[in-house]
Amino acid sequence: MPELPEVETTRRGLEPHLLGRRIQGLTLRDGRLRWPVPADLPGRLAGHRIRGLTRRAKYLLLTTDGPALLLHLGMSGSLRRCAPDTPLRTHDHLIFRLDDGFEIRLHDPRRFGCCLPLPEAPAVHPLLASLGPEPLGEDFDGAYLHRLSRGRRAAVKSFIMDQQVVVGVGNIYASESLFLAGIRPGRAAGRVSRAEYRELVRHIRAVLSDAITQGGTTLRDFVHEDGTHGYFRQHLRVYGREGQSCVVCATAIRNRRIGNRASAYCPICQR
């Protein structure tokens, strides 16, 4: 599914085309997403000017001079800016018509995405209220992870993928960051030292920043707002490389299941 870098790439790609634009209309071709899109939403949005497009975890927050929206791309969704004569696809469920003549289309084949009104204080929304800090924000550091992990027996990989601990560190990015930090993914979170967490945070930040710069990780279904694929995958060191040689020590990369996720690691470089 689209992870934080993919969502941030989408946000950065769309933002310049949205700021200051007026929403002339919203067409609900099919509002049966993960949660039904309110039937009165088109009438509530029409005529309002877009003030911002921000991100919280893997959600996009669209603010206007009227209602605000919470958007999620689900498992395989995308938001694309299209000319109005661009042929519609089967799963183009929502179409925002803008005053510059272009459209923003929410494409969601599996219907796991969402488009919901936001309250005046977005942080209190049930989908946002329990989320941990942003991995690229000032509140996320080694001391924070070390303090929160004390006494925890869960695998460190599961720990950093817990959205209440830190948002947006998905399977791929967790695997890559743990490799770079030299920490085996199955080690108990409570047995990772403060210094190791400091290194892990440094690599989480670097891996996510690199992925954002390069456009995210190419997945089977995911495309960006302009229809192009990300290409961070070519830089992966352990994820998806089971049986291949470690890029550092040439030992065969191993794989184990942690929290029902494939977890690749090097048995020599990661302890």
Side-chain angles (χ1 to χ4, degrees):
M1 66 185 295
E3 298 288 354
L4 185 151
E6 287 82 8
V7 178
E8 178 63 17
T9 299
T10 295
R11 187 196 71 77
R12 293 183 184 187
L14 284 175
E15 184 182 39
H17 303 290
L18 294 180
L19 292 184
R21 299 265 64 92
R22 194 177 297 279
I23 299 174
Q24 291 189 325
L26 169 62
T27 300
L28 301 182
R29 296 184 73 219
D30 194 336
R32 296 173 299 167
L33 302 182
R34 186 171 184 177
W35 298 280
V37 179
D40 65 346
L41 189 58
R44 293 167 60 184
L45 279 177
H48 287 290
R49 196 173 296 279
I50 296 172
R51 297 301 187 196
L53 183 66
T54 58
R55 180 189 55 75
R56 178 69 173 109
K58 291 185 281 188
Y59 293 97
L60 290 171
L61 284 65
L62 180 74
T63 56
T64 74
D65 55 11
L69 295 180
L70 184 69
L71 299 163
H72 195 285
L73 302 180
M75 295 292 292
S76 56
S78 62
L79 277 172
R80 294 179 178 175
R81 179 175 181 260
C82 302
D85 58 354
T86 303
L88 286 166
R89 296 180 295 168
T90 302
H91 300 291
D92 286 343
H93 299 312
L94 276 64
I95 303 172
F96 296 83
R97 300 188 307 279
L98 305 180
D99 62 357
D100 61 355
F102 282 86
E103 297 175 347
I104 303 299
R105 298 178 183 178
L106 175 64
H107 182 79
D108 188 3
R110 302 185 189 181
R111 301 179 188 275
F112 286 147
C114 76
C115 178
L116 298 172
L118 270 175
E120 290 186 10
V124 305
H125 191 282
L127 294 174
L128 305 178
S130 63
L131 294 176
E134 291 285 332
L136 302 178
E138 295 180 358
D139 295 336
F140 180 62
D141 58 22
Y144 163 79
L145 282 185
H146 183 261
R147 180 177 65 255
L148 205 61
S149 67
R150 294 308 85 189
R152 296 211 185 190
R153 297 181 180 180
V156 62
K157 184 176 179 220
S158 298
F159 176 64
I160 63 172
M161 289 181 63
D162 184 339
Q163 297 297 291
Q164 293 185 0
V165 173
V166 58
V167 300
V169 184
N171 193 28
I172 296 173
Y173 304 108
S175 296
E176 293 296 298
S177 300
L178 286 165
F179 171 76
L180 291 169
I183 301 170
R184 194 168 294 198
R187 199 202 305 181
R191 301 194 66 178
V192 177
S193 70
R194 183 188 298 268
E196 287 175 315
Y197 273 126
R198 188 162 49 244
E199 276 297 288
L200 180 56
V201 166
R202 184 171 70 86
H203 288 297
I204 287 173
R205 290 178 179 274
V207 167
L208 289 174
S209 296
D210 191 26
I212 291 169
T213 299
Q214 297 183 47
T217 306
T218 301
L219 304 177
R220 182 182 64 185
D221 299 318
F222 182 76
V223 290
H224 297 314
E225 50 83 26
D226 61 355
T228 62
H229 288 267
Y231 55 93
F232 182 71
R233 178 175 290 277
Q234 63 184 296
H235 295 285
L236 297 179
R237 300 165 180 86
V238 288
Y239 183 87
R241 298 189 66 245
E242 180 182 4
Q244 299 180 42
S245 297
C246 173
V247 296
V248 175
C249 70
T251 302
I253 297 297
R254 295 182 185 175
N255 188 49
R256 60 172 290 193
R257 304 292 294 184
I258 297 176
N260 293 321
R261 300 286 191 123
S263 300
Y265 67 97
C266 173
I268 300 299
C269 296
Q270 293 172 262
R271 297 293 183 182

